[in-house]
């Protein structure tokens, strides 16, 4: 049966997800509740106050994902602007965000008197019966927050059309699929999965920041998750959990960090029935491409492709131009998002070898060792290839001779060789592949490596 | 083991790891003539910081940058003695 095309160009999120059909068999769930999409056609998660939010600039400030997801469905086409606050936003940054975005209404699941805004509308996972007027009169601007290097969030402007641009091209979306992600759905990576579920006729299992990863996997497995995404760090942590065996997905997706060959191989072994794909996307550049051939990096031929997305490499970094690119940054004096030709510089550095481009790291994450530039990610990729290594973090250590040297923190799998021998094997692998200044001067075995709320390794030197 | 012999052993250890041929060490031998390069010294200094818990190069006191192996050893002996007080 042919699938309906998402009609996001013309329609609100509610209209598009309704168009995908089967509302009574589709749902959103979190650890505490499960809400049928059909319930939203007979009521509202915003009490009876949806109409008050028409034309407003709304700060969506929910602690939990389910109330945020329900409110988003209701607000697109109604609000003029929705600012999606990730739950970990620092309260010191909120006033700036509110001022920049001209927020005049707050929708939240906790008291927010101190946030200001003309009105406050509580949101939640319970549906108040009624017949909300869902007539869409706005092309709502969706504002996502990213952390700049200074920690002050940048406000990135999208619309439903730019956010869902990749989905018309990426079919089948999996009608009836149960989607899930380790990401928070208010971040770009999580929002992509949420929109795939809603526009593609599926359901979604939402994660919770407070839920241990094993519980999340067991819950997602119990709900029959079929499509699931996360960063490579999310996945490395998930594979450490015995509960990884509780899910049996058909589609496993990685994004947000470099997918090295080791994590792709581990996922293929752990989920033999699944297509494993890694995607390149960023909040600013949008979704650029998916790679489904099982190998790290992407074919160089992608650069010559015609279609929705144009890519080029300049000064070593990947540049992207597409209709999925953000509209710009919000705020007076915000820098332009694109160059004069409409390309976004992703800041992700690539190197060509054997007809494939490989991501080597972030431009801003370079470690300088006596004038030699090192990307920590390329060293981690080598360390992670050792079968006894679960994950690793390479960082700079200050050094009076060379300015810095590289050192590595390593988490081992539950069954591993004696640590002294393992250290020797890891160093041998590094020496066999890497220039000598890239070989870690010290390896420290640690019980865990911090993963930030963004799902990415918490890097302190870059 | 004295700091001097520890340092000599560490020079040999790093030279071997880094595939450098090291000249026979003596007090008067210039650091630049040891056969070790700046990356080797960066690693040696980092390991000495871990083992002796001193980093005389980053200490607040002005230091005379060591020129010979003997200078280098004395710098650490002095730093370790100061740290012990």
């Amino acid at each position: 049966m042919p699938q309906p095309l998402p009609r996001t160009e013309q329609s609100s999120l509610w209209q598009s997800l309704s168009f995908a059909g089967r509302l009574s068999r589709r749902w959103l769930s979190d650890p505490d509740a499960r809400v049928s999409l059909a319930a939203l056609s007979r009521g509202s998660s915003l009490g009876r106050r949806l109409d008050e939010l028409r034309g407003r600039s709304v700060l969506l400030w929910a602690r939990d994902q389910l109330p945020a997801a329900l409110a988003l469905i209701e607000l697109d086409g109604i609000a003029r602007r929705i600012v999606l606050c990730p739950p970990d936003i620092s309260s010191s940054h909120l006033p700036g965000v509110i001022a920049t975005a001209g927020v005049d209404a707050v929708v939240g699941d906790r008291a927010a008197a101190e946030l200001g805004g003309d009105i406050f509308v509580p949101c939640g996972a319970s549906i108040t019966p009624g017949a909300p007027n869902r007539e869409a009169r706005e092309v709502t601007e969706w504002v996502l927050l990213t952390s700049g290097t200074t920690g002050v969030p940048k406000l990135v402007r999208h619309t439903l059309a730019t956010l869902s641009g990749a989905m018309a091209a990426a079919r089948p979306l999996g009608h009836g699929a149960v989607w899930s992600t380790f990401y928070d759905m208010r971040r770009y990576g999580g929002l992509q999965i949420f929109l795939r579920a809603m526009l593609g006729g599926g359901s979604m299992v939402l994660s919770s920041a407070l839920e241990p990863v094993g519980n999340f996997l067991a819950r997602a497995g119990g709900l029959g998750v079929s499509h699931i995404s996360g960063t490579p760090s999310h996945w490395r942590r998930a594979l450490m959990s015995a509960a990884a065996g509780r899910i049996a997905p058909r589609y496993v997706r990685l994004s947000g960090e470099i997918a090295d060959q080791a994590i792709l191989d581990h996922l293929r072994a752990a989920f033999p029935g699944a297509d494993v794909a890694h995607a390149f996307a960023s909040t600013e550049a949008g979704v650029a491409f998916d790679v489904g051939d099982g190998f790290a990096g992407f074919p160089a031929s992608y650069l010559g492709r015609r279609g929705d997305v144009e890519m080029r490499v300049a000064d070593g970094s990947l540049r992207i131009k597409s209709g999925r690119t953000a509209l710009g940054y919000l705020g007076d004096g915000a820098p332009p998002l694109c160059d004069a030709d409409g390309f976004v510089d992703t800041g992700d550095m690539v190197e060509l070898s054997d007809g494939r481009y490989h991501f080597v790291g972030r431009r801003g994450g370079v470690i300088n060792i006596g004038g030699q530039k090192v990307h920590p990610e390329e060293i981690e990729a080598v360390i992670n290839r050792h079968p006894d290594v679960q994950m690793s973090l390479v960082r700079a250590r200050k050094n009076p001779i060379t300015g810095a040297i590289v050192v590595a923190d390593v988490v081992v799998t539950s069954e591993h060789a004696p640590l002294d021998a393992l250290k020797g094997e890891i160093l041998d692998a590094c020496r066999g592949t890497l220039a000598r200044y890239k070989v870690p001067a010290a390896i420290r075995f640690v019980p865990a490596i911090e993963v930030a709320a963004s799902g990415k390794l918490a890097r302190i030197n870059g | 083991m004295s700091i001097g012999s520890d340092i000599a052993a560490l020079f040999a250890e790093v030279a071997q790891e880094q595939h450098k041929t090291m000249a026979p060490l003596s007090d008067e031998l210039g650091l630049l003539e040891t056969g070790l390069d700046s990356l080797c010294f960066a690693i040696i200094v980092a390991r000495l910081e871990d083992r002796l818990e001193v980093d005389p190069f980053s200490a607040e006191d002005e230091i005379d940058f060591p020129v010979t192996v003997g200078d280098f050893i004395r710098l650490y002996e002095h730093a370790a003695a100061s740290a012990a007080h």
Side-chain angles (χ1 to χ4, degrees):
Chain A
M1 195 181 96
Q3 287 182 39
L5 272 174
R7 299 192 306 169
T8 49
E9 296 289 331
Q10 310 91 324
S11 311
S12 70
L13 177 54
W14 170 254
Q15 287 163 338
S16 298
L17 79 82
S18 303
F19 189 74
R22 302 185 337 131
L23 291 188
S24 60
R25 290 160 67 187
R26 295 166 57 198
W27 42 265
L28 287 160
S29 95
D30 76 357
D32 304 318
R34 181 157 125 168
V35 175
S36 161
L37 292 182
L40 278 182
S41 60
R42 304 186 297 267
S44 172
S45 67
L46 303 168
R48 298 178 195 279
R49 300 183 61 185
L50 184 61
D51 257 337
E52 291 177 47
L53 296 165
R54 283 196 181 272
R56 288 189 179 266
S57 177
V58 176
L59 183 81
L60 181 49
W61 193 66
R63 186 189 54 203
D64 295 329
Q65 293 192 60
L66 183 55
L70 295 169
L72 256 184
I73 291 170
E74 298 203 59
L75 286 169
D76 183 59
I78 305 289
R80 175 169 58 87
R81 174 181 285 159
I82 309 169
V83 181
L84 285 84
C85 273
D88 57 312
I89 185 171
S90 155
S91 55
S92 64
H93 292 142
L94 266 177
V97 169
I98 287 169
T100 304
V103 167
D104 55 12
V106 176
V107 169
D109 58 359
R110 57 201 145 151
E114 73 276 18
L115 292 180
D118 295 348
I119 59 171
F120 175 76
V121 174
C123 64
S126 64
I127 304 297
T128 306
N133 174 9
R134 300 212 182 276
E135 184 197 347
R137 298 178 202 149
E138 303 274 347
V139 178
T140 303
E141 185 176 270
W142 297 41
V143 176
L144 278 82
L145 274 52
T146 65
S147 306
T149 45
T150 56
V152 177
K154 288 185 283 186
L155 281 65
V156 184
R157 298 163 52 223
H158 276 279
T159 63
L160 183 57
T162 60
L163 290 166
S164 58
M167 290 161 215
R171 288 187 298 138
L173 279 175
H175 213 53
V178 176
W179 292 81
S180 191
T181 176
F182 297 95
Y183 280 109
D184 189 283
M185 55 82 62
R186 288 155 286 190
R187 296 182 190 282
Y188 190 87
L191 199 53
Q192 282 295 310
I193 298 307
F194 169 70
L195 291 175
R196 277 167 166 74
M198 294 300 101
L199 302 178
S203 298
M204 184 164 182
V205 182
L206 294 157
S207 61
S208 164
L210 302 172
E211 187 179 30
V213 66
N215 296 22
F216 168 65
L217 288 165
R219 184 165 63 83
L223 291 164
V225 66
S226 58
H227 294 56
I228 177 166
S229 90
T231 63
S233 291
H234 281 138
W235 279 114
R236 290 186 189 104
R237 204 171 50 176
L239 291 176
M240 278 192 259
S241 163
R246 303 283 291 275
I247 60 170
R250 304 199 304 269
Y251 179 72
V252 166
R253 180 181 176 94
L254 302 97
S255 65
E257 291 180 302
I258 298 170
D260 61 32
Q261 194 60 47
I263 188 63
L264 293 172
D265 293 347
H266 286 313
L267 285 169
R268 202 162 38 188
F271 305 114
D275 291 330
V276 177
H278 56 102
F280 180 83
S282 77
T283 308
E284 284 94 339
V287 178
F289 56 84
D290 290 12
V291 182
D293 63 10
F295 294 106
F298 61 95
S301 60
Y302 280 21
L303 260 61
R305 284 201 305 197
R306 281 187 288 184
D308 299 345
V309 179
E310 281 183 70
M311 301 198 290
R312 56 165 76 149
V313 174
D315 297 332
S317 74
L318 184 64
R319 318 285 171 109
I320 289 166
K321 176 183 184 177
S322 85
R324 310 165 193 172
T325 298
L327 304 176
Y329 293 114
L330 198 63
D332 296 334
L337 191 108
C338 305
D339 66 18
D341 297 332
F343 281 82
V344 177
D345 181 356
T346 63
D348 287 297
M349 309 304 281
V350 292
E351 280 175 12
L352 183 63
S353 68
D354 298 330
R356 256 180 120 81
Y357 277 103
H358 290 271
F359 291 99
V360 292
R362 298 280 306 158
R363 180 186 288 118
V366 166
I367 300 170
N368 189 328
I369 299 167
Q372 310 263 27
K373 305 284 197 296
V374 181
H375 290 285
E377 294 92 337
E378 63 177 317
I379 303 169
E380 289 158 10
V382 174
I383 297 173
N384 292 348
R385 283 211 291 263
H386 194 288
D388 293 354
V389 171
Q390 190 73 51
M391 61 199 294
S392 61
L393 174 76
V394 166
R395 55 195 170 81
R397 173 170 163 185
K398 263 182 78 173
N399 188 278
I401 311 293
T402 50
I405 51 172
V406 289
V407 296
D409 290 345
V410 173
V411 178
V412 295
T413 54
S414 52
E415 291 174 24
H416 58 82
L419 291 182
D420 276 350
L422 184 55
K423 184 183 282 189
E425 289 171 18
I426 291 170
L427 287 172
D428 284 346
C430 290
R431 288 183 188 124
T433 338
L434 299 167
R436 40 190 292 269
Y437 60 91
K438 298 180 181 177
V439 175
I443 289 181
R444 196 169 63 137
F445 292 105
V446 294
I449 289 171
E450 187 189 351
V451 176
S454 62
K456 304 179 187 192
L457 286 185
R459 297 190 186 276
I460 39 182
N461 42 267
Chain B
M1 288 267 279
S2 70
I3 286 179
S5 59
D6 278 352
I7 288 177
L10 185 56
F11 274 37
E13 174 187 313
V14 172
Q16 192 194 7
E17 282 176 17
Q18 297 294 324
H19 303 291
K20 298 289 177 190
T21 307
M22 195 169 69
L25 292 185
S26 69
D27 260 15
E28 298 74 32
L29 184 68
L31 290 171
L32 295 179
E33 280 82 55
T34 55
L36 303 177
D37 64 6
S38 61
L39 181 63
C40 294
F41 283 110
I43 295 169
I44 288 167
V45 167
R47 290 194 189 159
L48 284 171
E49 185 184 353
D50 290 342
R51 293 176 194 182
L52 303 176
E53 296 181 346
V54 293
D55 175 11
F57 293 92
S58 303
E60 292 192 355
D61 298 341
E62 285 286 314
I63 58 158
D64 291 328
F65 209 85
V67 176
T68 65
V69 172
D71 293 341
F72 188 89
I73 291 171
R74 278 188 291 279
L75 181 66
Y76 275 90
E77 285 173 339
H78 178 73
S82 307
H85 287 299

